[in-house]
Amino acid sequence: QVQLVDSGGGVVQPGGSLRLSCAASGFSFSSYGMYWVRQAPGKGLEWVAFVGSTESYTQYADSVKGRFTISRDNSKNTLYLQMNSLKSDDTAVYFCAKPRGGGAPQPFDSWGQGSLVTVSS
Amino acid sequence: EIVLTQSPATLSLSPGERATLSCRASQSVSSNLAWYQQKPGQTPRLLIYDASNRATGIPARFSGSGSGTDFTLTVSSLEPEDFAVYYCQQRSNWPLTFGGGTKVEIK
């Protein structure tokens, strides 16, 4: 069965950096574009970033563009999110998410358990 | 950016009652709309995709309808496990956006 395991969260000071990872198994990882979605404490869901199956195509929310970089290693079945210049507004649980199909953006049918990122001095 | 507005923010109902949740888009998303359920401390679960298609394993009491800018999620008869927060999401345009959520609580 599909499994997504998020890791790498923690407490970081404003302006700092952090890299999240998502280890995927149970499906053909290299065939799917992948996503990061975040949820601030007590708030709703916010899409963060997308990377195509071969990493040649990426999309970012305006709120993170220029600061976050999504990438993947298909040989390791792992998705990454490099977060730089972190702000307090970036405090959230970050989920990796798998779409239900390939091609155009698809709804998310599997989610990682989430990694909590806290930006605080 | 396509803004999704969900209403009501909170719906107070009793088990066995019918729940009707609304999601309105600021511009047409065709049928490219999904619904998710999230319970406290859990990850979201895909309920409905492409406006009206139930995801794998989702009970028949959940149904979705609509196209263009107005969408509805209906739970025909609420079970105790259905009390949760529900989000709509569009995949028609970048950036992908979610609605603010509707909390279905026990009356």
Side-chain angles (χ1 to χ4, degrees), chain B residues 29-41:
Chain B
V29 299
S30 186
S31 295
N32 299 316
L33 190 103
W35 291 93
Y36 299 86
Q37 176 194 67
Q38 188 178 32
K39 299 178 184 178

Side-chain angles (χ1 to χ4, degrees), chain A residues 14 86-92 119-120:
Chain A
L86 282 160
K87 309 173 183 179
S88 57
D89 287 350
D90 296 318
T91 294
V119 183
S120 173

Side-chain angles (χ1 to χ4, degrees), chain A residues 1-6 22-27 29 34 77 96 98 110-113:
Chain A
Q1 72 281 20
V2 173
Q3 191 169 17
L4 300 170
V5 179
D6 296 323
C22 170
S25 61
F27 67 103
F29 179 74
M34 292 293 292
N77 287 350
C96 66
K98 169 194 165 292
S110 296
W111 298 66
Q113 86 283 5

Side-chain angles (χ1 to χ4, degrees), chain B residues 9-90:
Chain B
T10 304
L11 199 50
S12 299
L13 294 168
S14 301
E17 289 193 294
R18 182 184 189 89
T20 303
L21 288 66
S22 173
C23 177
R24 177 163 290 177
S26 60
Q27 64 188 76
S28 177
V29 299
S30 186
S31 295
N32 299 316
L33 190 103
W35 291 93
Y36 299 86
Q37 176 194 67
Q38 188 178 32
K39 299 178 184 178
Q42 296 187 17
T43 61
R45 178 172 72 146
L46 178 64
L47 298 175
I48 301 287
Y49 65 92
D50 294 348
S52 61
N53 297 288
R54 275 189 302 277
T56 303
I58 301 304
R61 64 181 181 272
F62 291 93
S63 63
S65 64
S67 66
T69 60
D70 290 295
F71 300 88
T72 301
L73 174 70
T74 301
V75 187
S76 59
S77 178
L78 284 165
E79 297 287 339
E81 62 268 27
D82 299 336
F83 292 91
V85 179
Y86 293 82
Y87 295 97
C88 57
Q89 179 235 332
Q90 66 83 19

